[in-house]
Amino acid sequence: MGKLMNQRTGGLGLVAVVIVLLPWFLPNIFYYDVAIHVGINAIVAVGLNLLIGYAGQISLGHAGFFGLGAYGSGILAGTYGWHPVLALLAALIGVGVLAFIVARPILRLKGHYLAMATLGLGILVAIVLRAETWLTGGPDGMIVPSFEIFGWTLMGETTWYWIVGGLLLVTVWLALNIIDSPVGRALRSVHGSEVAAQVAGVDTTHYKVLVFVISAVFAALMGVVTAFYSGFITPDLASFFHSIEFVTMVVVGGMASTFGAIIGAVILTLLPQLLTGFDEYEAMVFGAILMATMIFLPKGLLPSLAARLRKGG
Amino acid sequence: MFRRFMRKMSVLAGVAVLAVSGAASSADTIKIGSFLAVTGPASFLGDPELKTLQLYIERINADGGVLGKQLELVHYDDGGSAGKARTFAKRLITADQVDLIIGGSTTGATMAVVPLAEQYGVPFISLGGGIPIIDPVKKWVFKTPHTDRMAVQKVFGDMQSRGLTQVGLISGTGGFGKSCRQQALDQADEYKVEIIADETYGPKDTDMTAQLTNIKGADGLDTVLNCGFGQGPAIVTKNYRQLGIEVPFYQSHGVASKSYIELAGDAANGVRLPAAALLVAEDLPDDDPQKPVVVDYKEVFESNFDQSVSTFGGHAYDALMIAVEAMERAGSTDKAAVREAIENTSGLMGTGGEFNMSASDHLGLDLSAFRMLEIRNGDWALID
Amino acid sequence: MALLEIDKLEKSFGGVHAIQDLSFAVSPGSVHSVIGPNGAGKTTLFNLITGLYTPTSGRILLDGRDVGGMPSHRLAAMGMSRTFQNLQVCMNMSAVENVMMGRHLHLNGRILPSLFRLPAVVRGDRACRERSLELMEFVGIQRYADAHASAMPYGALKRLEIARALAAEPRLLLLDEPAAGLNANETAEIDELIKKVADSGVTVVLVEHDMKLVMNISDHILVLDYGKKLAEGDAATVRHNPDVISAYLGAA
Amino acid sequence: MLAEFLQYLFTGITIGATYALVGLGFAIIYNASHVINFAQGEFLMIGGMSTVMLTAMGVPLPVAILLAVAASAVIGIALEKLAIEPAKDADIVPLIIITIGASIFLRGVAQVIWGKEFHALPSFSGDAPVVIGGATVLPQSFWVLGVSIAVVVALGYFFNRTLIGKAMIATAFNKDAARLMGINTRFVLMLSFALSAILGAVAGILVAPITFTSYDIGIGLGLKGFVAAVIGGLGSGVGAIVGGLILGISEAMAAGYISSEYKDAVAFILILAILFFLPSGLFGTRGAERV
């Protein structure tokens, strides 16, 4: 019990300290930009980890929800001139409802079939975003207006750094809350043994749908943030590859580990930036790192390291 | 290959150290930033563009540089993705603190970066073809390739002179094809042609017979125009011959590279397209003022790289020359001064034609820069 | 009235009849055993009763209400609980969390209170953990309180399942071969445990191969063979039934 | 009208046959290892690009094809030995990431070796189209169809008539039992990767003259092949072939009669429909869950 409390508050505290201290080590705006992307990806990964790591249900299509969040808010605020807050809420509710509708038929599937169905769903979203040029600007993307609230315009990397940092902290807190609760145990039991959960009175379908919707809304929220922060969105946000990136963050960092998901997001966001120096070798090195991590640390970085430490100590 | 790899590694380590120490900007070099589609579906654009920039910056440096300083190229590969282009442009401006940006192989990547160039005030010369890049004029944004509007006008002019009026249109769904298609629809009335079929294909499609079958079935078809770049137009060309469509076939300047002819093979014979003089450098009359420039670039490029010259590399050459000439005229690398000097470029002969820019024209080429070519026996032939 | 009544139950997979024309009743407070050779349909019967399978025909009455094909979690809410022949322990959780999961029905399982970690949820969870530790002690695995499920030996996991099933505070507990894979000592302990459970007022339905255990604790025994009822009655009746003897001797 | 319909149909069958070959590759690996090999599409690329490179070096086409297929088989085996076998106990998700990593890696290597340009392979027997009922068909389409049929027949013989083929089926059915029967399941696993690499390479070579080839064609074709395999029911050979043809024909019909913009959506709409209403595909068998 005490150990758990330590992990909770200690971990949360560590994340908060890093967020507060990091700006002293960011030499210029570009690094703020990278940090913001790390934060955005980390939030999606923490949400997705609830679905993949804890409930054991894979999704290869969460970039679809991310893209819908971005385009939903971007189109409502830009093309239709809605207030950004309303656009944000509408996008989140829209994605939540969509996720709720598809969750039941999709989550009846297991394993590779589930992977395939979510993959198809994500790609369909990307295809629609590419094809409906009149609405989305097509493959070349569209411009999104700034986020204005109470006469303030949220502009600039430093402002968004604190917004995303705050959101990350809240997300981690909420995720830790869920995991260590009756709902969290129900989710984990779906992964551990679905029949055991059912005969213990857990309505597994209900919880699977619930966590699917929650993780989709987290992804959509980050889509909204990306749209307003960068002011420019393309259908690539919803692409298959983007979905894979999210899943990879969860798996590389460590499944069923909230802090692992954050570490995965840090690594997978920084890696491409570091690899730009490799020019034509970039893809090769990236692929090799991905394979090696999964072969040698199949449980992901954080759990594998933790296990090693425990053995050593 | 291994040694090259190790060198990359050490360069990478150096870059990392530099980046961490924050000592990115140094006073004795002029930094040219670029983001190009070196990989991905538009790599046939980005690849010669990057090679050209690297080669000519090396040559300029060997000749003593610009304003007594060496040029330094900072390049990122955007893979043709507008989103990545924006990220890298931001990195070029805020982290690498470049003096000028040349880049954006595609219209989409360019348009994603335009707001950044405007916001931060950095001279930006785009290599994208689309007209929205410079129309309306944006203070900091210039471009060197001919616009798709010019290409469409050239094509429609040629159709008019051959008495072809019923046009079947097929276009790629990427930024270039989309913008070119729009220009074709807009310009049709002026050239008294009618678009009687309008089909599209995706950038990765591998078969366009379905779309062409629909065009083939259109009543009174006189000719077909394809707006697109990459391997798509080559597949369209092959499918066109497969279906036995007999009417004259036009492509846009998006296919103005040898790789199009190589891919389409015999099917390409008879295809007409508007393109820069570069492709027919040796065939130009000796009194053509453009001839020395294009012949020289072609020879330099082809002797350094094992591939045929394309107009796309030429656009990068033009952009670099405009930038260098403007810096020399401005006498500094001050961004505002360089921007103004670029805007006052006049009489500069590039591979794409003579550039005469102004406050209202950030391209500076006219229709005369385009030549109408026909592919004969697997090679370009000048027909006007 | 019987707590559980099975009425002309049938279940077939494809063309295979796993359960045929089966009827019996379980009265409250009794220990009711189901025995029979391998493949007799015992586990299938459990899966039907607990809602994992839907009957092909026939009725399953709980408190006189037909619950055939009702989802498991709703049957659990009506007071039914079970263990599994092949362990179904959540190996991604600690031992005590497995038991706490068994108390799911007695906790607030709605999302918002959990999301914001409302004090009521924290209190409920703390009480649940204490009750779960008591149950672990009751089944004799208190020394694994802090252990991870994946680190526990087989025998302890068997008991862990019983603790988890008890955590739901069921009226009807179905135990599927609780002594399978255990040695004589451990079997005797399970024997004691089942008696203790039955004494606490829980109705027990037991599937078991260990005849000594079955004869020892059962109030009523049902013998299945090829999905059909072969015999029924108390230990003495069944023991002397010629059909049962031949079936078991034949099987052996 | 009929001519148009036939045109769409021929187009669909040609591309569908390619999808079918890729789908078969998925099915074979899935049966042997329960791994979905997301790098399957890269074998098409390797087959096509190697053939292009070898012919450019002056190697006669038939020899180039044989060498390219052999090279793909070697890479398939290497993939199994170096990436799949060391991680054989991993969960589904890490395995998916490993094969995706492998596909990115192979693509990266191809890009370094062969560059980023598209390449054309000359058609095997000319480009003069054959006219059937007003629709035109390229001779290469007949090659695609003919070779696909030959491959399917050969595979059928292999799995049903040869000892090692039967061993592979037995392994797919029950790995432990197969091992007890003395079947070398590790060899079977290796063979399945080699076989599906060969299938991919053959498909890649056959379509290269029609669709061209480049370092990154594997992504799209691989995904479509995957869809074909799932439509038919993962692991079913007949299913993969039927799935491939259904997908190819639906795509061509959609492009012709509905909208070319949504041509690619057809595959994924089909897959969602199949999974929602027929979760085990057209020919898949549904395994009962054991409790």
Side-chain angles (χ1 to χ4, degrees):
Chain A
M1 183 80 196
K3 211 173 104 195
L4 201 72
M5 281 305 290
N6 276 339
Q7 238 179 33
R8 260 183 79 81
T9 46
L12 257 180
L14 187 65
V15 172
V17 167
V18 169
I19 290 172
V20 171
L21 292 185
L22 193 61
W24 272 272
F25 299 93
L26 299 176
N28 57 42
I29 296 295
F30 166 69
Y31 290 88
Y32 273 91
D33 187 66
V34 173
I36 291 166
H37 280 112
V38 167
I40 288 171
N41 287 333
I43 293 172
V44 176
V46 166
L48 193 56
N49 192 24
L50 292 175
L51 180 71
I52 298 180
Y54 288 102
Q57 309 294 310
I58 192 175
S59 167
L60 297 183
H62 260 52
F65 298 123
F66 188 94
L68 282 177
Y71 273 91
S73 58
I75 290 168
L76 290 176
T79 318
Y80 295 101
W82 285 30
H83 191 278
V85 176
L86 283 181
L88 180 150
L89 290 176
L92 294 191
I93 292 170
V95 169
V97 169
L98 176 77
F100 181 76
I101 293 170
V102 297
R104 263 167 205 275
I106 275 195
L107 291 168
R108 271 208 328 249
L109 305 166
K110 289 188 166 58
H112 288 113
Y113 289 100
L114 178 62
M116 197 62 219
T118 49
L119 179 154
L121 189 70
I123 292 184
L124 275 180
V125 171
I127 290 175
V128 172
L129 293 181
R130 279 202 189 96
E132 299 303 318
T133 306
W134 60 279
L135 191 63
T136 64
D140 292 329
M142 66 180 284
I143 289 177
V144 179
S146 303
F147 197 98
E148 279 173 48
I149 185 166
F150 308 130
W152 286 70
T153 306
L154 302 184
M155 277 267 284
E157 283 73 9
T158 40
T159 314
W160 280 102
Y161 175 84
W162 294 111
I163 293 172
V164 172
L167 285 174
L168 176 61
L169 210 54
V170 172
T171 306
V172 172
W173 180 68
L174 293 176
L176 291 174
N177 284 352
I178 290 189
I179 294 155
D180 184 24
S181 79
V183 176
R185 276 194 303 276
L187 288 179
R188 284 184 289 162
S189 67
V190 169
H191 190 189
S193 165
E194 195 163 347
V195 279
Q198 285 165 350
V199 299
V202 178
D203 183 352
T204 51
T205 313
H206 168 77
Y207 285 104
K208 282 199 273 186
V209 170
L210 195 67
V211 72
F212 189 79
V213 172
I214 290 176
S215 62
V217 170
F218 270 123
L221 175 65
M222 287 304 103
V224 175
V225 168
T226 303
F228 284 116
Y229 161 63
S230 72
F232 186 81
I233 50 180
T234 70
D236 284 351
L237 296 179
S239 69
F240 171 54
F241 189 71
H242 201 209
S243 287
I244 296 298
E245 279 183 318
F246 287 142
V247 175
T248 310
M249 286 169 195
V250 171
V251 181
V252 165
M255 291 211 279
S257 162
T258 297
F259 299 108
I262 297 176
I263 289 175
V266 171
I267 292 173
L268 273 129
T269 317
L270 295 185
L271 202 54
Q273 295 291 341
L274 289 174
L275 291 181
T276 51
F278 281 93
D279 294 346
E280 68 259 50
Y281 299 100
E282 181 185 336
M284 211 169 94
V285 175
F286 183 74
I289 291 176
L290 218 55
M291 279 159 72
T293 316
M294 285 298 88
I295 293 171
F296 298 114
L297 303 170
K299 290 202 185 315
L301 276 175
L302 200 62
S304 299
L305 288 178
R308 202 152 294 177
L309 278 179
R310 238 176 296 156
K311 236 179 240 169
Chain B
M1 197 171 109
F2 182 70
R3 272 187 40 204
R4 257 174 80 204
F5 181 77
M6 286 313 288
R7 212 172 64 210
K8 292 258 150 81
M9 288 289 286
S10 55
V11 168
L12 181 77
V15 168
V17 169
L18 264 184
V20 169
S21 65
S25 164
S26 76
D28 45 1
T29 62
I30 297 173
K31 285 192 162 192
I32 309 273
S34 92
F35 60 96
L36 299 165
V38 182
T39 57
S43 62
F44 68 98
L45 298 173
D47 184 61
E49 286 164 357
L50 178 61
K51 283 177 173 156
T52 301
L53 288 182
Q54 286 168 335
L55 177 63
Y56 275 89
I57 283 177
E58 206 172 291
R59 285 167 68 100
I60 290 170
N61 284 341
D63 290 347
V66 178
L67 302 171
K69 296 178 183 179
Q70 294 280 293
L71 293 180
E72 182 190 343
L73 181 69
V74 185
H75 172 262
Y76 300 113
D77 172 15
D78 66 33
S81 139
K84 272 194 183 173
R86 194 183 165 91
T87 308
F88 286 131
K90 200 169 210 174
R91 183 165 174 179
L92 287 171
I93 295 170
T94 60
D96 302 316
Q97 300 180 348
V98 297
D99 296 298
L100 178 140
I101 296 177
I102 294 174
S105 305
T106 60
T107 303
T110 300
M111 292 310 286
V113 171
V114 164
L116 290 177
E118 294 288 296
Q119 184 190 337
Y120 290 93
V122 182
F124 173 31
I125 307 178
S126 163
L127 308 181
I131 196 149
I133 298 172
I134 47 146
D135 182 21
V137 172
K138 287 138 198 105
K139 190 177 173 193
W140 295 90
V141 184
F142 305 86
K143 78 186 215 79
T144 56
H146 318 87
T147 63
D148 31 24
R149 180 181 296 164
M150 293 162 74
V152 167
Q153 287 171 340
K154 190 80 185 169
V155 167
F156 282 178
D158 194 62
M159 287 176 179
Q160 213 174 18
S161 69
R162 295 168 87 186
L164 309 168
T165 58
Q166 306 290 298
V167 182
L169 181 63
I170 178 165
S171 52
T173 53
F176 178 85
K178 210 174 64 183
S179 161
C180 176
R181 169 181 171 271
Q182 195 55 49
Q183 294 303 325
L185 296 176
D186 291 350
Q187 302 287 319
D189 278 353
E190 196 165 320
Y191 287 83
K192 301 190 175 57
V193 296
E194 196 185 342
I195 308 291
I196 55 167
D198 182 9
E199 295 280 333
T200 61
Y201 57 87
K204 297 226 163 174
D205 275 11
T206 53
D207 184 289
M208 288 71 156
T209 48
Q211 292 93 318
L212 287 170
T213 303
N214 290 344
I215 290 180
K216 186 184 179 185
D219 280 339
L221 185 75
D222 282 337
T223 181
V224 175
L225 167 63
N226 177 17
C227 281
F229 67 71
Q231 88 289 5
I235 297 178
V236 170
T237 309
K238 283 199 134 186
N239 292 162
Y240 195 84
R241 302 300 178 209
Q242 176 201 336
L243 293 175
I245 306 177
E246 303 287 353
V247 298
F249 187 28
Y250 286 85
Q251 289 278 2
S252 72
H253 56 315
V255 303
S257 74
K258 253 304 175 13
S259 69
Y260 166 69
I261 298 181
E262 281 160 16
L263 286 178
D266 289 345
N269 286 332
V271 169
R272 286 194 176 189
L273 71 151
L278 181 58
L279 291 184
V280 284
E282 281 93 359
D283 298 345
L284 292 175
D286 286 336
D287 59 349
D288 192 315
Q290 222 185 326
K291 186 160 186 177
V293 177
V294 292
V295 168
D296 182 59
Y297 172 70
K298 184 179 158 91
E299 278 171 6
V300 169
F301 188 89
E302 292 186 348
S303 64
N304 275 278
F305 305 109
D306 183 24
Q307 68 190 76
S308 302
V309 75
S310 73
T311 53
F312 314 121
H315 299 322
Y317 170 87
D318 294 350
L320 185 63
M321 290 308 141
I322 288 171
V324 166
E325 197 251 1
M327 283 176 186
E328 273 167 353
R329 240 180 319 114
S332 82
T333 54
D334 176 68
K335 293 190 178 75
V338 171
R339 189 209 73 83
E340 200 168 323
I342 296 176
E343 195 169 87
N344 291 320
T345 299
S346 86
L348 189 139
M349 189 56 77
T351 63
E354 187 180 288
F355 288 89
N356 291 293
M357 296 204 187
S358 70
S360 62
D361 182 2
H362 277 192
L363 167 61
L365 293 173
D366 60 24
L367 214 52
S368 71
F370 257 136
R371 318 289 164 118
M372 185 52 76
L373 308 184
E374 186 172 299
I375 297 168
R376 288 179 193 147
N377 300 321
D379 205 354
W380 315 108
L382 196 60
I383 58 165
D384 55 12
Chain C
M1 189 178 65
L3 177 60
L4 176 73
E5 195 181 340
I6 305 298
D7 181 28
K8 299 198 183 69
L9 192 65
E10 304 259 354
K11 177 71 187 177
S12 52
F13 298 99
V16 183
H17 298 283
I19 296 288
Q20 294 178 62
D21 191 29
L22 183 65
S23 301
F24 66 91
V26 177
S27 44
S30 64
V31 175
H32 200 109
S33 286
V34 182
I35 62 170
N38 276 327
K42 304 181 297 280
T43 295
T44 303
L45 176 63
F46 266 30
N47 287 347
L48 283 163
I49 296 174
T50 52
L52 297 179
Y53 292 164
T54 307
T56 307
S57 68
R59 296 187 305 163
I60 299 167
L61 303 164
L62 187 64
D63 291 329
R65 183 176 159 201
D66 189 358
V67 296
M70 190 183 272
S72 301
H73 66 269
R74 286 183 54 200
L75 291 167
M78 292 171 72
M80 195 187 282
S81 195
R82 75 171 280 191
T83 66
F84 295 88
Q85 180 189 347
N86 309 320
L87 283 178
Q88 291 288 340
V89 174
C90 298
M91 293 300 178
N92 57 341
M93 291 156 70
S94 71
V96 71
E97 280 173 325
N98 264 285
V99 184
M100 289 168 79
M101 191 268 279
R103 277 190 81 73
H104 184 81
L105 283 167
H106 302 276
L107 297 171
N108 184 344
R110 282 179 307 142
I111 177 69
L112 287 180
S114 284
L115 197 56
F116 295 105
R117 205 170 169 74
L118 297 184
V121 173
V122 180
R123 272 197 308 274
D125 247 25
R126 195 171 299 149
C128 169
R129 173 177 293 267
E130 273 154 27
R131 174 74 187 133
S132 300
L133 289 170
E134 283 169 30
L135 281 168
M136 287 176 76
E137 195 176 341
F138 180 73
V139 302
I141 51 170
Q142 62 272 32
R143 64 196 175 100
Y144 295 106
D146 289 327
H148 206 262
S150 56
M152 290 167 66
Y154 183 80
L157 289 174
K158 281 260 164 200
R159 290 159 186 248
L160 183 65
E161 277 211 346
I162 298 175
R164 181 179 66 197
L166 289 174
E169 294 174 18
R171 292 182 297 145
L172 176 63
L173 175 63
L174 295 93
L175 300 173
D176 197 350
E177 301 200 20
L182 301 184
N183 61 32
N185 244 346
E186 289 170 325
T187 305
E189 283 168 27
I190 289 286
D191 186 346
E192 283 304 308
L193 182 58
I194 295 170
K195 273 185 192 148
K196 261 195 327 189
V197 172
D199 289 346
S200 70
V202 179
T203 309
V204 175
V205 180
L206 176 71
V207 164
E208 187 48 68
H209 275 299
D210 191 296
M211 278 310 129
K212 202 170 138 236
L213 189 145
V214 170
M215 297 299 166
N216 235 342
I217 61 177
S218 306
D219 300 311
H220 197 89
I221 297 174
L222 170 75
V223 188
L224 278 187
D225 196 19
Y226 296 109
K228 288 184 192 153
K229 183 170 20 174
L230 195 65
E232 197 178 11
D234 59 22
T237 323
V238 168
R239 209 193 316 248
H240 298 111
N241 184 309
D243 290 341
V244 176
I245 294 168
S246 73
Y248 268 82
L249 287 178
Chain D
M1 275 314 284
L2 179 70
E4 282 174 14
F5 177 80
L6 283 178
Q7 189 68 55
Y8 303 144
L9 187 68
F10 294 148
T11 301
I13 291 175
T14 307
I15 194 75
T18 322
Y19 296 158
L21 287 182
V22 187
L24 264 180
F26 273 112
I28 290 174
I29 290 187
Y30 182 79
N31 276 342
S33 62
H34 278 249
V35 170
I36 291 288
N37 177 24
F38 274 91
Q40 187 67 23
E42 306 313 319
F43 295 129
L44 276 89
M45 178 272 289
I46 293 167
M49 293 296 280
S50 320
T51 312
V52 166
M53 180 188 71
L54 289 167
T55 48
M57 285 161 59
V59 180
L61 188 65
V63 182
I65 291 175
L66 279 180
L67 287 175
V69 170
S72 305
V74 170
I75 293 171
I77 292 172
L79 175 69
E80 194 275 321
K81 282 279 159 214
L82 300 178
I84 306 298
E85 210 175 286
K88 59 181 180 300
D89 297 327
D91 268 351
I92 287 179
V93 186
L95 275 173
I96 286 177
I97 305 287
I98 287 175
T99 60
I100 287 172
S103 105
I104 295 174
F105 175 76
L106 288 173
R107 215 178 301 143
V109 174
Q111 183 200 322
V112 171
I113 299 177
W114 290 313
K116 287 146 292 195
E117 296 82 23
F118 271 87
H119 296 276
L121 195 61
S123 304
F124 298 175
S125 44
D127 283 320
V130 180
V131 180
I132 303 172
T136 56
V137 188
L138 285 178
Q140 189 67 24
S141 294
F142 292 113
W143 276 103
V144 174
L145 268 181
V147 175
S148 301
I149 292 170
V151 164
V152 168
V153 170
L155 275 181
Y157 178 84
F158 174 76
F159 280 119
N160 293 318
R161 294 276 183 273
T162 66
L163 199 60
I164 180 70
K166 287 180 184 171
M168 286 180 77
I169 290 187
T171 309
F173 196 69
N174 188 333
K175 199 169 176 176
D176 296 326
R179 195 178 293 134
L180 287 175
M181 298 297 287
I183 294 171
N184 184 346
T185 53
R186 284 180 58 178
F187 177 71
V188 164
L189 196 60
M190 207 179 77
L191 192 64
S192 70
F193 271 80
L195 256 184
S196 79
I198 289 171
L199 283 177
V202 167
I205 295 166
L206 284 172
V207 295
I210 301 179
T211 66
F212 307 135
T213 185
S214 81
Y215 79 102
D216 64 350
I217 55 148
I219 315 170
L221 285 173
L223 270 181
K224 296 284 176 64
F226 186 8
V227 173
V230 175
I231 291 175
L234 261 183
S236 157
V238 184
I241 296 161
V242 176
L245 289 175
I246 289 179
L247 178 57
I249 294 171
S250 326
E251 275 191 348
M253 294 292 165
Y257 289 119
I258 305 171
S259 146
S260 44
E261 294 219 302
Y262 277 103
K263 195 184 98 176
D264 280 336
V266 171
F268 302 100
I269 291 171
L270 262 180
I271 203 158
L272 284 180
I274 291 269
L275 288 176
F276 284 2
F277 301 112
L278 266 179
S280 38
L282 295 175
F283 295 88
T285 45
R286 189 170 207 170
E289 199 180 338
R290 281 190 69 124
V291 179

